[in-house]
Amino acid sequence: MRFRLTPRETSFYDMFSASADNIVTGSKLLMELLGADAPARAEIAERMRAAEHAGDDATHAIFHQLNSSFITPFDREDIYALAGSLDDIMDFMEEAVDLVVLYNVEELPKGVEQQIEVLARAAELTAEAMPNLRTMDNLTEYWIEVNRLENQADQIHRKLLAHLFNGKYDAIEVLKLKQIVDVLEEAADAFEHVANTVETIAVKES
């Protein structure tokens, strides 16, 4: 790691960790959604909405700290990109749950559980990685694994689309389900954006 003579604002590390921990909460709510009946889904959606609002608050806190700090732990644009990508993950997960409720989806297509399992694993890895930004240690395996998970998510997404277009579903149902699986795929992409930003930060700090 590069040697510094200037002090650094360290509260960013805690805020990134809090944001990532909140994403784990969101991923667990996605897991709860699987197999839940309509009343339970509505309640899960309320809790997911609260988690998404907490994520917004965490993001705004990071931006406020960034705007009021003269010295930052790493480049300002990287802090902005990391906070924004973490926020995107929560936004996409909340949107997916909300769509399931709004569209009154009775049964999610087979394969969605695999999408959600990938997101849950990526959430765990991201939460484990954020505290390591303090030292930039043990991060290489994190971004490699998240990129692997994103490739896996791509494959699952393509199989889901093929399943949706196999003639089993009517046109309206296809449109509803496709939007849901597309949003879950966007969440997987957002996890990769976080990992790529962490890699960029680590390279700059090495």
Side-chain angles (χ1 to χ4, degrees):
M1 181 182 297
R2 197 165 53 194
F3 180 71
R4 294 176 181 267
L5 294 175
T6 55
R8 295 188 293 176
E9 172 55 65
T10 60
S11 61
F12 287 103
Y13 302 121
D14 293 333
M15 289 189 286
F16 282 130
S17 293
S19 183
D21 288 343
N22 190 55
I23 289 170
V24 173
T25 298
S27 71
K28 289 178 179 178
L29 290 171
L30 274 177
M31 294 293 289
E32 283 188 47
L33 189 74
L34 296 171
D37 58 17
R41 285 178 175 178
E43 190 270 337
I44 290 168
E46 284 297 322
R47 285 191 283 147
M48 180 65 93
R49 197 168 296 115
E52 192 273 332
H53 289 160
D56 285 343
D57 290 343
T59 303
H60 293 152
I62 293 170
F63 290 162
H64 176 75
Q65 188 69 28
L66 182 61
N67 292 331
S68 60
S69 297
F70 178 69
I71 297 171
T72 58
F74 36 86
D75 289 349
R76 291 176 178 271
E77 62 267 24
D78 293 328
I79 293 174
Y80 186 88
L82 184 55
S85 294
L86 289 166
D87 189 62
D88 287 344
I89 295 169
M90 278 303 304
D91 287 345
F92 290 133
M93 292 197 298
E94 189 273 332
E95 182 180 354
V97 173
D98 202 33
L99 288 174
V100 170
V101 174
L102 290 174
Y103 289 163
N104 294 313
V105 173
E106 293 185 6
E107 184 178 355
L108 292 166
K110 184 179 180 181
V112 168
E113 73 282 357
Q114 296 176 35
Q115 275 192 305
I116 292 174
E117 286 169 4
V118 167
L119 295 179
R121 179 56 182 152
E124 291 173 358
L125 290 170
T126 302
E128 291 169 2
M130 289 302 105
N132 292 338
L133 287 171
R134 289 180 181 272
T135 60
M136 297 297 164
D137 293 333
N138 304 317
L139 287 170
T140 303
E141 291 184 4
Y142 152 70
W143 66 65
I144 290 174
E145 180 62 10
V146 169
N147 277 272
R148 187 195 69 79
L149 287 171
E150 197 280 329
N151 290 334
Q152 183 180 345
D154 284 344
Q155 294 173 355
I156 295 168
H157 182 244
R158 287 193 291 268
K159 289 179 181 177
L160 272 165
L161 293 182
H163 176 66
L164 292 178
F165 288 108
N166 68 4
K168 175 182 176 181
Y169 302 93
D170 64 42
I172 297 299
E173 194 70 10
V174 168
L175 290 174
K176 292 178 180 179
L177 295 176
K178 181 180 183 300
Q179 189 173 359
I180 292 166
V181 301
D182 284 351
V183 170
L184 290 172
E185 171 63 15
E186 289 185 276
D189 289 341
F191 273 113
E192 184 179 41
H193 294 158
V194 169
N196 290 344
T197 302
V198 169
E199 182 179 7
T200 297
I201 292 168
V203 169
K204 287 181 179 179
E205 295 297 304
S206 63

